[in-house]
């Protein structure tokens, strides 16, 4: 694989890592809202935050899998060069 292609894949990898970090930040903010809801319970809002937390967690898992696969492709391509 050409170095140009490897560099493009590394750029994509950086963006995926940014997406993962963003989702982790979203989870942190959701956790703050959930903690605030201990003071002022609201079942509907609690349920919405639990659902949002789960979706963000699922997104992290999916992106992490893609990151791992892409890292392996990049490493393989670099070793073949």
């Amino acid at each position: 694989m050409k170095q140009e292609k490897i560099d493009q894949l590394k750029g994509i990898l950086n963006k995926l890592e940014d997406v993962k970090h963003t989702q982790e930040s979203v989870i942190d903010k959701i956790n703050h809202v959930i903690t605030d809801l201990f003071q002022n319970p609201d079942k509907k809002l609690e349920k919405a935050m639990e659902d949002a937390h789960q979706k963000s967690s699922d997104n992290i898992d999916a992106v992490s899998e893609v990151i791992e696969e892409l890292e392996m492709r990049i490493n393989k391509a670099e070793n073949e060069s």
Side-chain angles (χ1 to χ4, degrees), residues 62-77:
V63 172
S64 293
E65 287 179 25
V66 172
I67 287 172
E68 186 176 322
E69 290 173 17
L70 188 54
E71 285 174 333
M72 288 189 302
R73 284 178 55 198
I74 291 169
N75 288 338
K76 181 180 176 184

Side-chain angles (χ1 to χ4, degrees), residues 35-76:
T35 301
D36 291 345
L37 288 171
F38 289 142
Q39 302 278 331
N40 300 300
D42 182 318
K43 293 294 182 192
K44 189 173 183 179
L45 189 52
E46 289 171 19
K47 175 67 173 133
M49 290 299 95
E50 289 171 9
D51 291 347
H53 189 283
Q54 184 60 54
K55 289 175 185 175
S56 292
S57 293
D58 292 344
N59 287 341
I60 289 172
D61 292 343
V63 172
S64 293
E65 287 179 25
V66 172
I67 287 172
E68 186 176 322
E69 290 173 17
L70 188 54
E71 285 174 333
M72 288 189 302
R73 284 178 55 198
I74 291 169
N75 288 338
K76 181 180 176 184

Side-chain angles (χ1 to χ4, degrees), residues 5-62:
K5 181 68 173 177
I6 292 171
D7 291 342
Q8 287 175 341
L9 292 175
K10 285 181 179 181
I12 292 169
L13 180 62
N14 287 336
K15 290 174 185 170
L16 289 170
E17 288 172 348
D18 187 45
V19 169
K20 181 181 172 187
H21 294 300
T22 300
Q23 288 300 310
E24 290 168 344
S25 179
V26 168
I27 286 176
D28 185 49
K29 289 177 174 135
I30 290 170
N31 285 336
H32 286 286
V33 172
I34 290 170
T35 301
D36 291 345
L37 288 171
F38 289 142
Q39 302 278 331
N40 300 300
D42 182 318
K43 293 294 182 192
K44 189 173 183 179
L45 189 52
E46 289 171 19
K47 175 67 173 133
M49 290 299 95
E50 289 171 9
D51 291 347
H53 189 283
Q54 184 60 54
K55 289 175 185 175
S56 292
S57 293
D58 292 344
N59 287 341
I60 289 172
D61 292 343

